[in-house]
Amino acid sequence: MFLFTRSQVKRFSNIFDNAGQVFLGSLILSPLLNFSNSKDIVPVISGGAILTFFLWWLSLRLERISS
């Protein structure tokens, strides 16, 4: 017996996809457009990329589970 219905899992997938887009914009694109502190840009962008790809991967996994 599943804990969530298929439609709920699809909704979680959509939420994680949207969260990945938010992190892409806020942690990757925003520092690239604003060069105020160039020392701290590498850890922010690399952390943002890891988090973004993880959320998108999780979204894809949930989408496959719900199909």
Side-chain angles (χ1 to χ4, degrees):
M1 189 162 131
F2 292 112
L3 186 60
F4 298 106
T5 65
R6 283 187 177 186
S7 62
Q8 290 172 329
V9 173
K10 283 189 179 210
R11 182 66 185 144
F12 282 130
S13 171
N14 188 355
I15 289 170
F16 285 123
D17 181 38
N18 292 339
Q21 291 177 14
V22 168
F23 285 116
L24 173 71
S26 63
L27 293 177
I28 297 175
L29 296 178
S30 178
L32 287 176
L33 298 176
N34 183 11
F35 292 113
S36 63
N37 193 356
S38 62
K39 288 184 197 175
D40 297 331
I41 197 168
V42 174
V44 171
I45 290 177
S46 60
I50 291 169
L51 188 57
T52 299
F53 288 129
F54 172 73
L55 289 172
W56 283 343
W57 173 81
L58 186 60
S59 172
L60 288 174
R61 295 295 299 162
L62 289 174
E63 186 68 32
R64 288 182 184 163
I65 288 171
S66 68
S67 299

